[in-house]
Amino acid sequence: MTAATSSTLFPQGSTPGGYEATPRDADAVLDGLDPEQREVATSLHGAVCVLAGAGTGKTRAITHRIAYGVRAGILQPASVLAVTFTNRAAGEMRGRLRQLGAGGVQARTFHSAALRQLQYFWPKAVGGEVPRLVERKVQLVAEAAARCRVRLDRNELRDVTGEIEWSKVTQTVPEDYPALAAKSGREAPRDTAEIGRIYATYEQLKRDRGVIDFEDVLLLTVGVLQERPDIADQVRRQYQHFVVDEYQDVSPLQQRLLELWLGDRDSLCVVGDASQTIYSFTGATPDHLLNFRTRHPGATMVKLIRDYRSTPQVVHLANGLLSQARGRAAEHRLELVSQREAGPDPAYAAYQDEPAEAEGTARRIRELITPVEQGGGGVPASQIAVLYRVNAQSELYEQALADAQVPYQLRGAERFFERPEVREAGLLLRGAARGGSADPALADVDIPSQVRAVLGTRGWTPEPPVGSGAVRDRWESLAALVRLAEDFAASRPGATLSDLVAELDERAAAQHAPTVEGVTLASLHAAKGLEWDAVFLVGLTEGMMPITYAKTEQQIEEERRLLYVGVTRARRHLTLSWALSRAPGGRASRRPTRFLNGLRPGSQAMGAARTPGGSGGIERGAAAPGGGGAVRRRRGPVHCRVCGRALTDAGEMKLMRCEGCPSELDEALYERLRDWRAEQAGLLGQPAYCVFTDKTLLAIAEAVPGTESELTRISGVGRRKLDRFGADVLALCAGRELPSAVDGEGGVEAG
């Protein structure tokens, strides 16, 4: 399985994977963070909402936040719970925290954290041991369907199971499922009343057998915390600070659990991006992210817009995609600013048919992976991805890459010829080839007609099924076999069904060749959270992007966000392609996706309402409930005040100038500030850098601010330090002498 590698484009050469050595102290944890990331890391009191665009270092910001709090003695490691959505992400977070010197912090998925609490408190809350966890609920759902006298094939079974999971994470009981499914516009695989009955029977079966499923872990933990205030208090005493990653993917049930963990406190930091909400079909909703300031009026909001992943050319296209978006998520979109050097423009390619598109993509990949000294791009195969809308699209690309002798591997799906429906179809076709004329339905007809007749008994129809999910995926796989048979018959006049079966066997054998590393083939959904040097977005035609069953504006906008996620996976090379017809010689009736109108050369925008993009920076909420409105401070990219160059080095950003640019340092003021700082540090019993770092003092001595507003523009002078030290610093800048702090007439009061 290809894992995207870490970007190396973060300040000071550190990677998202962490530092080579553990930072020496709390201040060193902040080294290399840009101003917005630093704000995230140092805002350790009250609620904080981080709107983080793709590639802006959100995981870096929150791990450094936790590590800074621990290393500065503000947070106790055991009191912090960091929550994310996959075990892989949780493991990565724990590794980063250990490297930053903050081992002992709990980083878990929602389910893992809830299960741990449930196992611990169950004997006290209920008695006995926690019921056995059923990790795969499909068998129980099948039994429930049988008891309801409903026959489900394997794909329908998977889809009905998905509907039950959706119902549970949205806290929908069986009797309410039909109405809510209709209200939500869900494309149910069966009659909704039928699914409701299966759901109710499934729940009864679990109760009868004393078992629970994955969603019950959350539901039961919520129940225990709601019904037992003493247990809720115990959990809240243990965990006093929460961090939630990918907050746009939180379901209503997960949000309820988070609220119970928090109680009436606001020690919460959430991170997310509404423009990357692509899992609404599972119950995820960005509403909790977008409504955060409503629930926490005093929250600090930080926007991360500096994109360290992608070139300006890739970022420009990503911003353009969202500039035409509609809806509430679009109103909160972030305008990314690339921090990388310029790269090649995104390439757009129109092909006559799908096989030509696959072959052209494979040819370009072959060129990219050819060593530089041989005239190629020198990009490792593991740093290239081909991304498509549905898994059934993979077969053509598997074949094209195999023909081009390019190693590849699939992510999030079986290889095409390993899919159960494809294996079953192969067996049926082999049997039909052996039976030959014994079957009157197959007598005297061409190969494609024979294949259609055989596969028609297993779910293939001339028209695709309504809706998405496993039924649609199965149909796409079988339809790919039908198309393959049509193409084979056209290229081999006089061939028999036995010849086609032999061709299928040869293709399957060729594609089973083991590979150590290779080009990643993945659906757009499976690519979320990953990145590659080169990305090929293929099959971008109307009906596939957006997918044909996306009917409502909300569904269309989620498809746009899905394409945005695909674009932002690319670091440097990005190619977007489509085919004008399905098969060679077909009518060129297809159109490229509407989402590229106005962005690809030669196209015109559709006139969609453009929403202003959000700039980066910090917005501070009211200091306390009932306060006189929010005090806001926005920060964009920091530029050198001498030459105007964008700054990324932490030290240069503090000085607001390049190290090599002329300094206007007031040396006498700098010495006065150093003496004053030493006195304040002695009174507080803390190191001098806890008052202000050397770089901050240098910046003050160079800028010589005359007002609070000018002082707060200097990196390292936040609201807390302004309130504590601002009057003294401004007095020193104005040349006034301060009363001696040891006489009790000025300075800082400890405690």
Side-chain angles (χ1 to χ4, degrees):
M1 195 70 70
T2 300
T5 61
S6 301
S7 169
T8 57
L9 299 167
F10 284 79
Q12 296 195 353
S14 62
T15 72
Y19 294 83
E20 292 183 1
T22 300
R24 65 185 181 280
D25 54 31
D27 248 19
V29 172
L30 303 178
D31 287 348
L33 299 182
D34 67 32
E36 291 77 36
Q37 291 172 342
R38 181 178 289 253
E39 188 70 25
V40 175
T42 56
S43 297
L44 293 169
H45 301 286
V48 178
C49 179
V50 184
L51 299 180
T56 58
K58 66 179 179 64
T59 307
R60 177 178 173 82
I62 58 177
T63 51
H64 283 245
R65 167 195 174 85
I66 296 170
Y68 177 73
V70 169
R71 299 291 297 277
I74 299 170
L75 303 176
Q76 295 301 311
S79 72
V80 181
L81 179 59
V83 187
T84 186
F85 279 81
T86 66
N87 289 318
R88 179 185 62 83
E92 180 188 359
M93 191 176 290
R94 287 193 295 270
R96 292 193 190 193
L97 289 169
R98 281 194 302 271
Q99 206 163 19
L100 291 168
V105 172
Q106 294 292 316
R108 297 181 175 275
T109 65
F110 269 103
H111 284 89
S112 173
L115 180 59
R116 197 173 186 215
Q117 292 175 20
L118 195 64
Q119 290 170 334
Y120 184 81
F121 290 111
W122 187 270
K124 178 179 179 180
V126 182
E129 295 184 355
V130 178
R132 181 173 61 88
L133 179 63
V134 178
E135 294 187 4
R136 285 179 53 82
K137 59 176 69 70
V138 172
Q139 291 178 336
L140 270 181
V141 175
E143 187 173 341
R147 291 197 177 190
C148 293
R149 298 185 178 181
V150 176
R151 186 173 183 178
L152 302 176
D153 65 25
R154 180 181 58 83
N155 297 291
E156 289 175 318
L157 181 59
R158 192 180 77 178
D159 287 343
V160 169
T161 301
E163 290 301 292
I164 291 174
E165 291 173 348
W166 174 81
S167 299
K168 299 185 77 166
V169 300
T170 56
Q171 302 178 80
T172 303
V173 296
E175 53 267 30
D176 293 341
Y177 166 77
L180 192 61
K183 182 179 178 182
S184 303
R186 294 187 71 79
E187 295 281 359
R190 298 288 294 239
D191 177 72
T192 54
E194 206 169 53
I195 294 176
R197 291 197 303 274
I198 296 171
Y199 177 17
T201 306
Y202 166 76
E203 291 297 310
Q204 185 60 51
L205 276 173
K206 287 197 290 106
R207 286 192 293 270
D208 292 345
R209 296 177 186 181
V211 297
I212 60 175
D213 63 23
F214 212 44
E215 289 70 42
D216 289 331
V217 171
L218 299 183
L219 285 163
L220 290 170
T221 305
V222 165
V224 168
L225 296 178
Q226 286 181 160
E227 298 300 322
R228 292 292 298 269
D230 57 325
I231 292 177
D233 288 342
Q234 190 173 343
V235 171
R236 291 166 193 157
R237 286 194 300 271
Q238 170 69 48
Y239 295 117
Q240 299 174 15
H241 192 88
F242 297 86
V243 177
V244 183
D245 194 10
E246 301 287 3
Y247 194 56
Q248 78 278 352
D249 291 333
V250 165
S251 70
L253 179 56
Q254 290 165 332
Q255 175 64 23
R256 180 61 186 139
L257 178 59
L258 179 62
E259 290 167 354
L260 288 166
W261 283 340
L262 270 173
D264 58 2
R265 302 167 299 174
D266 63 354
S267 52
L268 170 66
C269 174
V270 301
V271 188
D273 180 9
S275 296
Q276 296 189 66
T277 304
I278 59 172
Y279 295 111
S280 65
F281 60 90
T282 68
T285 171
D287 290 346
H288 306 301
L289 175 68
L290 300 179
N291 294 335
F292 192 81
R293 285 291 284 270
T294 302
R295 297 193 309 277
H296 302 276
T300 295
M301 182 167 287
V302 185
K303 296 179 181 179
L304 303 183
I305 63 166
R306 303 171 200 259
D307 188 325
Y308 297 98
R309 175 189 298 159
S310 304
T311 62
Q313 288 77 8
V314 172
V315 167
H316 179 71
L317 176 57
N319 287 336
L321 271 176
L322 292 187
S323 72
Q324 301 183 42
R326 301 173 182 270
R328 191 167 179 225
E331 295 170 3
H332 295 266
R333 71 181 181 86
L334 299 171
E335 189 88 19
L336 299 178
V337 180
S338 175
Q339 305 298 298
R340 290 195 54 163
E341 294 181 356
D345 287 331
Y348 299 87
Y351 293 91
Q352 280 301 115
D353 51 67
E354 290 181 358
E357 183 181 9
E359 291 164 8
T361 300
R363 188 165 53 250
R364 175 61 182 140
I365 291 173
R366 180 79 260 176
E367 294 168 357
L368 274 177
I369 65 177
T370 299
V372 174
E373 55 270 21
Q374 298 177 22
V379 180
S382 60
Q383 287 306 311
I384 301 174
V386 178
L387 306 181
Y388 35 75
R389 178 62 181 84
V390 297
N391 287 326
Q393 291 173 274
S394 74
E395 192 271 339
L396 278 174
Y397 294 89
E398 293 176 52
Q399 184 61 51
L401 290 171
D403 289 345
Q405 296 185 320
V406 174
Y408 69 88
Q409 47 202 324
L410 285 166
R411 180 180 182 89
E414 308 96 336
R415 289 176 181 269
F416 180 80
F417 286 103
E418 292 175 353
R419 295 172 191 166
E421 62 269 23
V422 175
R423 290 202 305 268
E424 181 185 28
L427 291 173
L428 291 172
L429 291 172
R430 186 171 289 106
R434 284 197 301 266
S437 58
D439 187 345
L442 303 179
D444 301 320
V445 295
D446 58 19
I447 291 176
S449 297
Q450 293 180 58
V451 172
R452 293 188 200 103
V454 171
L455 300 188
T457 66
R458 289 299 182 269
W460 178 83
T461 56
E463 295 298 322
V466 175
S468 59
V471 171
R472 177 68 181 229
D473 284 347
R474 176 184 175 87
W475 182 90
E476 294 282 2
S477 295
L478 298 179
L481 288 175
V482 171
R483 292 196 297 269
L484 192 150
E486 292 169 349
D487 297 339
F488 179 76
S491 63
R492 296 268 304 270
T496 65
L497 188 57
S498 295
D499 294 327
L500 174 64
V501 170
E503 171 73 9
L504 292 175
D505 289 340
E506 288 179 14
R507 286 175 176 245
Q511 292 172 19
H512 284 168
T515 56
V516 176
E517 68 168 24
V519 173
T520 298
L521 298 178
S523 71
L524 287 163
H525 282 101
K528 176 75 166 64
L530 303 177
E531 58 187 79
W532 296 269
D533 285 343
V535 170
F536 290 80
L537 301 177
V538 300
L540 300 181
T541 59
E542 285 289 310
M544 191 60 75
M545 177 58 67
I547 198 76
T548 185
Y549 51 78
K551 304 295 186 185
T552 67
E553 181 176 299
Q554 291 81 1
Q555 292 169 335
I556 295 292
E557 288 304 316
E558 182 145 335
E559 292 288 299
R560 186 194 305 274
R561 294 194 295 270
L562 189 57
L563 181 56
Y564 171 80
V565 166
V567 167
T568 55
R569 301 309 94 195
R571 297 194 192 106
R572 180 173 175 81
H573 302 279
L574 177 64
T575 300
L576 305 95
S577 65
W578 56 91
L580 300 177
S581 65
R582 181 185 62 76
R587 187 164 62 91
S589 58
R590 289 179 170 179
R591 292 180 293 117
T593 174
R594 70 190 77 171
F595 299 144
L596 295 179
N597 288 344
L599 300 174
R600 61 182 176 85
S603 66
Q604 294 183 345
M606 295 182 67
R610 293 175 178 260
T611 56
S615 61
I618 300 101
E619 298 179 10
R620 299 191 181 280
V631 178
R632 297 189 176 189
R633 179 170 56 148
R634 293 181 181 270
R635 286 182 183 163
V638 178
H639 296 274
C640 174
R641 52 191 166 83
V642 180
C643 70
R645 181 178 72 86
L647 303 177
T648 56
D649 177 78
E652 291 182 343
M653 288 190 289
K654 272 188 176 291
L655 295 175
M656 296 184 69
R657 66 169 174 82
C658 304
E659 289 284 1
C661 284
S663 167
E664 302 171 354
L665 177 67
D666 184 330
E667 294 186 5
L669 172 59
Y670 180 61
E671 290 304 317
R672 289 199 304 274
L673 287 167
R674 283 175 59 87
D675 292 342
W676 166 83
R677 181 182 66 172
E679 188 175 10
Q680 306 310 308
L683 288 172
L684 291 171
Q686 295 180 347
Y689 65 77
C690 290
V691 180
F692 286 118
T693 64
D694 287 346
K695 283 288 175 66
T696 298
L697 291 189
L698 279 170
I700 293 171
E702 289 188 3
V704 194
T707 65
E708 285 191 357
S709 175
E710 292 174 354
L711 182 57
T712 57
R713 293 195 192 109
I714 295 172
S715 179
V717 184
R719 170 57 61 184
R720 181 173 60 84
K721 292 194 176 182
L722 180 68
D723 293 341
R724 234 180 198 187
F725 307 126
D728 282 7
V729 171
L730 290 174
L732 289 169
C733 289
R736 297 195 298 272
E737 292 296 326
L738 296 177
S740 173
V742 297
D743 296 331
E745 298 178 1
V748 178
E749 295 181 5

